Amino acid sequence: MREIMKILKKLLLLSCIGHVSYSASVDYLMNQSPAYLGNPAQNAIISVDGSNYNPAGIVHLEDGRYLQIGNQFGFIHEGMKSEGKDYDSDTFEPVIPNINFVNKNGSTATYFSIGVIGGGATLEYDDGVPGSGKIPGILNQQGAKLIPKLGFNPFENVYMKDSSFEGSNKYFGATLGRAWALNEKWALSAAGRVVYATRELKGYAKYDGVTEPVEGMIVQKKDFTIDSEREAWGVGGIFGVNYMPNDRWNFAARYETKVKLKFEADATDDPAKILNKEIGFLDFYPQYADGDKRYRDLPAMLALGASHKLTDRLVIMAGGNYYFVKDADLDGQNGYDNGYELNVGMEYLINEKWSWTLGYNYADTGANEETYSDVEYALDSHIIGTGIKYRPNPNQEWLLSVAQISYDTATASGEEKDFNGTEASFPSVKYEKSFLAFGISCTMKF
């Protein structure tokens, strides 16, 4: 009986919700404005979007005040498959906003930006997740051990009657910074950032088909529920440098410090009772337990970029990001390597009012089979995006962008373990994601 409790503990630990991330870091997002969807190679950009990607470069804007308002939205699919059963979440995310303000005056520029910098969309798994789906099979295997005592297997016909889970992880950032032009070629920037993060999880799993013995009452309650929200505040720094040797080339670098985030959970748990012991999600997934406090940091990152004006109409860009994931505390989890991204892109000036952008990004998350679970699976990805810019007058610019984020599939191998002489099977799980994203923004100069 004690071994059945151990198996249920492992299974319930996995019965949580994954989250969408379009970046090489576990939680960090780089699509902090719609321009990224149209061309991910933004690290050496000279524009108001540089508030997010190349803050030192904003000193090369014309003098004036700039306001940019943007939003991203799209269709998200996440799926897990185990033992021939699909566990899917298909969601439309309507709001991923951002606001940038820049005040450029002479050799200095002040900027303020606010938006979603990490996490992802709200996901709903209407048919449960593999962790909850595995429980009947494991109980059936282990119930056979009770036949000598009870004369039958009380879990032989157990099944998951109903299950549903919903989760979301969102990190909001507000950044205030300043950039200085040292001379015509060199510029520096420094900023502080405040981060507010939430990680929410709620759901249930209901089981039936358990044969109740006359004595011993193996199962008194067969439902598990959870409703938990974790919150954290943190601060970090952002430092940048821009080098423009001539009117054709531009180079930029940006370093963002690690943001320490100590999450505190506010939760309610309604556990099941099996083998005269209570079993609840929060008992076995302690970071979501009520009052739990622990760190899950945003890792430090280094971004490099370059752009070259190939012709008077065509600018090409390239860059990359490196995420120091191994130095961040991720709820005490181990197994992640550092992640990185590589990207290329272009912008073509069609005429004075219209231009076209195109770009590609590859992300290696540093995750592996050891890190995959129902709660998160950071898969490597490929982004292909394009966009159109429209300038009706010199003081206004509209942007429309679209990107397809395709993720590599990955599989966590199944396990066979011996529990008190009984072989228990933990089947393999296949993971997949995709995201069709759209963006729109308006930039105005005053």
Side-chain angles (χ1 to χ4, degrees), residues 143-144 146-147 150 152-158 209-213 218:
L146 301 177
I147 293 178
L150 301 176
F152 63 95
N153 180 351
F155 303 120
E156 184 175 7
N157 299 311
V158 68
V210 179
T211 303
E212 304 285 0
I218 290 178

Side-chain angles (χ1 to χ4, degrees), residues 9 52 125 192 194 242 284 288 309 345:
K9 178 177 179 179
N52 299 308
Y125 287 84
V194 176
N242 193 88
F284 310 114
Y288 281 93
K309 193 173 183 180

